[in-house]
Amino acid sequence: MRAEVIVVGAGAAGLMCARTLADRGLRVAVLEARQRIGGRIRTFRPGDGGPSLELGAQVVHGSASPVHRMAGPLDVVPRTGGAGAVSAGRAHDMADLGGGGRAPWLLQHRLNRAPGAAGGSVADWLTAQGLSGTESSAAREWFAQHWAVGPERLDAYGVAAAHLSDGVGEGEYAVPGGFDRLPERLAAGLDVRCGTPVRAVEWSPGRTLVRTDDGELQASAVVVTVPPAVVAAGGLKIADLPAAKYQAAGRLPAGDACCLVVTCARPAPDSTVVFDADGLRGFVSCRAGSPQVLVVAKAAAAAAVRKAAAGPYGELLRLLQPALPWTAGARVTDVTVADWGESPWSLGAFTHAGPGAAAAADTWADPLGDTLFFAGEATLAGHRLPWVHSALDSGQHAAEQILLGVRR
């Protein structure tokens, strides 16, 4: 049976779009390059039955996130255990990174609440705060780990405006059983074809041809949810795509990220999360009694973690030891890698609020000929935060655009 709509990508945006269209009676096929659904949501479940760990999207942001009604009730992310930091190669208490309102998280809060006072890059804004030494390096790395690029590539106004306009409230939550329960629920009953990378899309008003490794499919409309960086790099070729669209795709890169679960032969003695202000490790965490260590590294730290993961296990232990001294001399039994920056299907973590991102996102989001539609967190870059709830909203918006054309 020929689909009326083909959705390219089974991440949060694609599945939300397909779910909305299917619930309204349209025939939808979702084509996913990976052998799994979820896109940049990926959950690791230890073989020993311990708590799940997130190798992609980490938490549900905000008490008003749409995830609450789709996968709730959600668990509040607990603030148990210690909070440490690594600076100049030495371990510190997290509170040592700044005083008098100059801690990285307080600076982030200050910027988020005053977009009118922000100009230039986040690096410029931090310099204007009079930071120096450890306070400066810690603040710069804090923004890099939250946005997946260095602060010199972040637009200060765009970062602040995205926080203020996001509208999902405060708090961080976890999906019981793992974040991947969300895409599983969205995909239930849908025609989702994994391991089917889309190589090219040809289109004219009211008609599309989608080329995959398994053959060709036709539909009345196509929704592209892959990151624009993939299109800009030629990973997905779209015929007759206007030059303005290609230019917009090139201005919407995704920041680098590499995540690991390192399983040791002995369990962690206590629970802790460690922020590395030196730019080598990102955030490193462990849970008391669990042998797994989670490493979530973005921006320049992703490259350091990627290099360590590719070498002997001893390299990983040397990377971990300053953050988690108990790993000294430990034996690594397994490493699971989610390398988002090296994946040809993502080419990074998420789109950051760089200079001109909002205008580029608007251009990228515009549908073509009531036939070719676009979704994904990148369509809201510079306007909203690049988290899962933005991807969901973009998918629903693309579905509504299609449904509006169907009703005409």
Side-chain angles (χ1 to χ4, degrees), residues 108-197:
Q108 176 180 275
H109 183 79
R110 185 187 306 171
L111 173 59
N112 294 346
R113 293 297 181 269
S121 70
V122 168
D124 294 334
W125 184 86
L126 289 172
T127 298
Q129 308 309 303
L131 304 179
S132 62
T134 299
E135 289 181 341
S136 177
S137 60
R140 292 176 64 89
E141 187 60 21
W142 185 268
F143 277 94
Q145 289 308 310
H146 282 81
W147 283 92
V149 294
E152 66 280 354
R153 294 173 58 189
L154 288 171
D155 179 68
Y157 178 84
V159 167
H163 275 275
L164 277 181
S165 63
D166 205 58
V168 294
E170 302 296 330
E172 294 182 344
Y173 302 82
V175 178
F179 216 142
D180 62 357
R181 299 301 190 211
L182 172 65
E184 286 177 2
R185 293 191 183 192
L186 288 172
L190 296 177
D191 177 6
V192 181
R193 308 174 194 182
C194 292
T196 309

Side-chain angles (χ1 to χ4, degrees), residues 10-399:
L15 291 175
M16 184 65 186
C17 181
R19 175 85 274 151
T20 303
L21 294 172
D23 287 349
R24 295 295 296 273
L26 273 68
R27 298 187 303 276
V28 185
V30 183
L31 308 182
E32 169 56 49
R34 299 179 177 92
Q35 294 293 342
R36 60 171 183 83
I37 63 172
R40 286 166 283 181
I41 295 173
R42 180 178 170 186
T43 301
F44 172 89
R45 292 183 176 81
D48 59 8
S52 60
L53 299 168
E54 302 300 341
L55 282 162
Q58 295 293 300
V59 298
V60 177
H61 294 271
S63 58
S65 169
V67 180
H68 288 271
R69 69 175 182 271
M70 297 175 190
L74 306 184
D75 298 329
V76 175
V77 175
R79 298 301 182 193
T80 58
V86 174
S87 178
R90 295 186 297 109
H92 300 265
D93 187 274
M94 185 79 87
D96 294 340
L97 291 181
R102 300 162 78 88
W105 49 93
L106 296 178
L107 289 165
Q108 176 180 275
H109 183 79
R110 185 187 306 171
L111 173 59
N112 294 346
R113 293 297 181 269
S121 70
V122 168
D124 294 334
W125 184 86
L126 289 172
T127 298
Q129 308 309 303
L131 304 179
S132 62
T134 299
E135 289 181 341
S136 177
S137 60
R140 292 176 64 89
E141 187 60 21
W142 185 268
F143 277 94
Q145 289 308 310
H146 282 81
W147 283 92
V149 294
E152 66 280 354
R153 294 173 58 189
L154 288 171
D155 179 68
Y157 178 84
V159 167
H163 275 275
L164 277 181
S165 63
D166 205 58
V168 294
E170 302 296 330
E172 294 182 344
Y173 302 82
V175 178
F179 216 142
D180 62 357
R181 299 301 190 211
L182 172 65
E184 286 177 2
R185 293 191 183 192
L186 288 172
L190 296 177
D191 177 6
V192 181
R193 308 174 194 182
C194 292
T196 309
V198 174
R199 303 300 184 181
V201 175
E202 298 177 10
W203 68 281
S204 58
R207 180 181 176 86
T208 67
L209 179 69
V210 174
R211 300 186 187 278
T212 76
D213 293 345
D214 298 326
E216 300 176 350
L217 296 91
Q218 296 183 30
S220 299
V222 168
V223 183
V224 175
T225 73
V226 301
V230 174
V231 176
L236 170 61
K237 300 184 185 301
I238 302 177
D240 300 319
L241 193 66
K245 283 277 192 185
Y246 273 118
Q247 292 167 2
R251 294 198 297 269
L252 294 169
D256 198 8
C258 185
C259 302
L260 312 177
V261 173
V262 181
T263 302
C264 298
R266 62 172 181 253
D270 48 32
S271 298
T272 188
V273 58
V274 179
F275 163 62
D276 174 35
D278 290 341
L280 296 175
R281 303 166 187 86
F283 282 91
V284 179
S285 60
C286 60
R287 301 180 186 181
S290 172
Q292 280 83 31
V293 174
L294 176 65
V295 183
V296 179
K298 304 186 188 78
V305 167
R306 181 179 295 121
K307 180 179 179 181
Y313 284 166
E315 292 295 320
L316 270 179
L317 290 175
R318 280 189 284 274
L319 185 77
L320 294 176
Q321 185 177 343
L324 302 176
W326 65 268
T327 61
R331 181 169 61 89
V332 174
T333 61
D334 185 59
V335 178
T336 299
V337 182
D339 194 337
W340 304 107
E342 292 293 314
S343 166
W345 315 123
S346 60
L347 294 180
F350 45 74
T351 309
H352 55 275
D362 291 343
T363 299
W364 183 248
D366 280 342
L368 296 174
D370 285 336
T371 302
L372 196 58
F373 298 83
F374 300 84
E377 47 81 18
T379 63
L380 294 169
H383 298 292
R384 297 271 300 276
L385 294 173
W387 313 148
V388 169
H389 59 267
S390 294
L392 291 170
D393 286 349
S394 75
Q396 183 168 358
H397 180 65

